Amino acid sequence: MINGSSDTESAFLELKRFQSAPRNQWPGVTDEDWSDYRWQLRNNIRTLAQLEKHLTLSPEEKQGVLLTETKLAMAITPYYLSLIDPADAHDPIRRQIIPRIEETHEDEMDMDDPCGEDSHMPVSGLVHRYPDRVLFLVTDRCASYCRYCTRSRVVSGAGDQHLETDFDRAIQYIREHTEIRDVLLSGGDPLLLSDDKLDYILGELRSIPHVEFLRIGSRIPIFLPQRITPELCSILRKYHPLWMSIHTNHPRELTIESREAIGRLVDAGIPLGNQSVLLRGVNDDVTVMKALVQKLLMARVRPYYIYQCDLIKGSAHLRTSVRKGLEIMENLRGHTTGYAVPMYVIDAPGGGGKVPIMPDYIIDHDSERIMIRNFEGKIFEYPEPEGEGINIGEPEYDLDWQRDRKW
Ligand SMILES: *Cc1c(COP(=O)(O)O)cnc(C)c1O
């Protein structure tokens, strides 16, 4: 192997290596405290003074931290903060969690509610966008706050708009709408609720006969793996089929601690998927994404979605091009395990829902045959059955819908 490529290969393997969170910045803390989620939450980093004890901030970051009183708040668990390399100003974990002054910049297309959730809420805190499933926002708090949060208009409680979930009416709505077979708990982070409250909500939902499928969206296994206690797992496992989507963006977020937390969930019978957001300077890179999806499989997590970053206000500095996303997908499909390849989606601005985005594998298609290309660029032909073929099942486009657009 030539020198250059063996360097790349060892950097790739290094990204995939599971390591423990370094604790050298937290000298006097006992193992017992460090592995107690309540200690982590009590010691959450929320102020400039606390943060500056651990990191030397740039002027852009310092100004960013100071403005978080009025918008999405800052919070960083000591555990997650310890994953940042203090010597690297461009650390991919740092970029996700440390506020920057660029958050005050607004691009022309930026929105407060990029996925149009507020206009699809039949009950406060319940989003009914798709025919057979609902998104149930059960809290506005997270263990730490991602700077590109798509729900930053309500999350953390710092801004003007507040999440006021009406639990009784939301559960009543689900009970009355027999078409709802899938309920997705999100927020905020549902696993920040107490064991008792989660037990209550899941119990209520499970008592509804037409609710077949429950799932939880959570970043706790990454921000606060200590929260995944045996007690929590024994509550969750009562409500099967229960699935979970976690949120990992960079392979260094998958530590030994998070792998163990994920293992406890999987051992409780919970199938895990991962959602990533494509972020400039974090994971808009083929090598990083490939390491991430392969490492997820080793942690027993199936990569589910890669999201193009929503047009959330103040996130332009973290967004990257769709072209880059397509390049990443092109370099995954066929080049690595099919289970490791997520679906790349854009949540259509204004409330169109998730739309899959794929490199073009169809070169030509008519009533007689389809011409396709594979991951190596080789071209193949597959015949259509006589008399079938194109126009069967072709979608009709609604060209007039924009007349009614609400934003
Ligand atoms: C993402 C999302 C869902 C779940 O979509 P799946 O593709 O089934 O994972 C449901 N409701 C809303 C509003 C969503 O944004």
Side-chain angles (χ1 to χ4, degrees):
M1 206 183 272
I2 57 163
N3 235 346
S5 67
S6 89
D7 281 357
T8 320
E9 183 62 20
S10 64
F12 182 67
L13 290 176
E14 181 60 19
L15 281 173
K16 292 209 302 182
R17 200 158 63 84
F18 287 92
Q19 291 177 271
S20 247
R23 281 168 51 183
N24 46 354
Q25 294 229 21
W26 300 84
V29 181
T30 63
D31 288 354
E32 196 185 346
D33 276 346
W34 185 260
S35 50
D36 179 349
Y37 73 89
R38 284 156 298 208
W39 182 90
Q40 291 283 339
L41 288 174
R42 271 200 309 275
N43 289 279
N44 230 340
I45 307 294
R46 296 180 181 279
T47 66
L48 182 62
Q50 289 168 332
L51 188 56
E52 286 192 315
K53 280 191 203 151
H54 300 279
L55 291 176
T56 307
L57 299 183
S58 70
E60 292 79 11
E61 289 172 330
K62 203 180 264 198
Q63 290 168 26
V65 175
L66 290 171
L67 67 86
T68 57
E69 310 285 303
T70 52
K71 57 185 294 293
L72 181 69
M74 176 175 76
I76 312 167
T77 58
Y79 162 83
Y80 192 71
L81 187 78
S82 78
L83 303 183
I84 296 175
D85 173 1
D88 180 5
H90 304 289
D91 183 277
I93 291 169
R94 184 178 189 129
R95 278 183 72 77
Q96 296 180 58
I97 208 77
I98 308 282
R100 297 183 61 88
I101 190 64
E102 287 92 322
E103 291 181 24
T104 56
H105 300 173
E106 278 177 32
D107 252 31
E108 200 186 331
M109 287 279 284
D110 281 5
M111 299 176 227
D112 283 319
D113 179 17
C115 303
E117 293 177 339
D118 290 344
S119 60
H120 287 96
M121 274 197 201
V123 173
S124 184
L126 192 73
V127 186
H128 195 175
R129 172 72 191 76
Y130 298 102
D132 67 342
R133 54 207 191 279
V134 287
L135 176 67
F136 191 1
L137 305 177
V138 296
T139 173
D140 61 0
R141 297 306 147 103
C142 291
S144 302
Y145 294 112
C146 310
R147 301 321 303 172
Y148 50 87
C149 176
T150 195
R151 231 160 267 136
S152 59
R153 70 188 183 286
V154 288
V155 161
S156 88
D160 296 334
Q161 196 181 330
H162 292 276
L163 180 71
E164 276 156 24
T165 302
D166 188 333
F167 285 88
D168 293 341
R169 278 188 58 219
I171 291 167
Q172 187 60 23
Y173 179 91
I174 297 168
R175 216 178 271 288
E176 285 165 5
H177 287 74
T178 53
E179 73 276 20
I180 299 172
R181 42 162 291 287
D182 168 5
V183 179
L184 164 52
L185 302 189
S186 183
D189 200 314
L191 297 187
L192 264 200
L193 297 181
S194 68
D195 287 2
D196 285 348
K197 180 132 195 191
L198 270 172
D199 200 6
Y200 169 76
I201 296 172
L202 291 169
E204 287 294 298
L205 294 171
R206 211 7 113 219
S207 76
I208 302 173
H210 53 268
V211 173
E212 301 170 352
F213 185 68
L214 293 172
R215 42 178 170 162
I216 296 176
S218 174
R219 214 181 178 195
I220 287 277
I222 301 303
F223 282 152
L224 186 64
Q226 300 80 4
R227 170 71 183 100
I228 311 295
T229 58
E231 295 74 32
L232 175 65
C233 293
S234 61
I235 290 170
L236 298 177
R237 71 184 309 154
K238 293 192 292 181
Y239 300 108
H240 280 312
L242 173 73
W243 292 43
M244 197 177 288
S245 294
I246 65 168
H247 172 178
T248 318
N249 292 323
H250 192 278
R252 273 190 25 232
E253 295 175 318
L254 287 172
T255 59
I256 289 172
E257 290 87 337
S258 63
R259 182 178 62 184
E260 286 173 354
I262 288 164
R264 289 191 285 279
L265 292 167
V266 178
D267 287 345
I270 303 169
L272 291 199
N274 182 67
Q275 317 196 92
S276 293
V277 179
L278 191 60
L279 296 169
R280 183 182 294 273
V282 174
N283 58 13
D284 58 339
D285 178 277
V286 172
T287 308
V288 169
M289 271 299 187
K290 200 176 200 172
L292 174 62
V293 296
Q294 292 181 355
K295 202 171 177 182
L296 282 163
L297 290 192
M298 289 190 281
R300 300 194 281 168
V301 182
R302 164 80 156 103
Y304 181 38
Y305 284 135
I306 293 180
Y307 290 94
Q308 179 64 18
C309 187
D310 290 328
L311 298 171
I312 190 73
K313 231 179 227 176
S315 69
H317 61 295
L318 287 170
R319 301 202 290 261
T320 189
S321 64
V322 175
R323 189 175 296 278
K324 186 46 123 177
L326 284 169
E327 182 197 324
I328 289 169
M329 295 311 294
E330 181 74 58
N331 282 282
L332 293 179
R333 172 61 63 197
H335 298 274
T336 191
T337 313
Y339 275 122
V341 183
M343 174 82 74
Y344 176 38
V345 295
I346 298 181
D347 217 322
K354 299 174 182 72
V355 180
I357 306 295
M358 264 214 253
D360 234 333
Y361 291 99
I362 300 178
I363 288 170
D364 193 27
H365 192 191
D366 61 25
S367 58
E368 275 149 34
R369 86 235 190 297
I370 185 167
M371 300 289 294
I372 52 179
R373 60 133 183 129
N374 75 354
F375 73 105
E376 300 159 306
K378 294 187 180 133
I379 296 177
F380 302 86
E381 178 177 337
Y382 183 95
E384 288 282 32
E386 193 114 305
E388 293 178 37
I390 206 147
N391 293 334
I392 309 263
E394 282 251 312
E396 281 179 34
Y397 299 110
D398 177 359
L399 298 172
D400 292 332
W401 74 274
Q402 293 207 36
R403 279 185 319 217
D404 304 323
R405 58 195 271 174
K406 291 197 185 77
W407 74 96

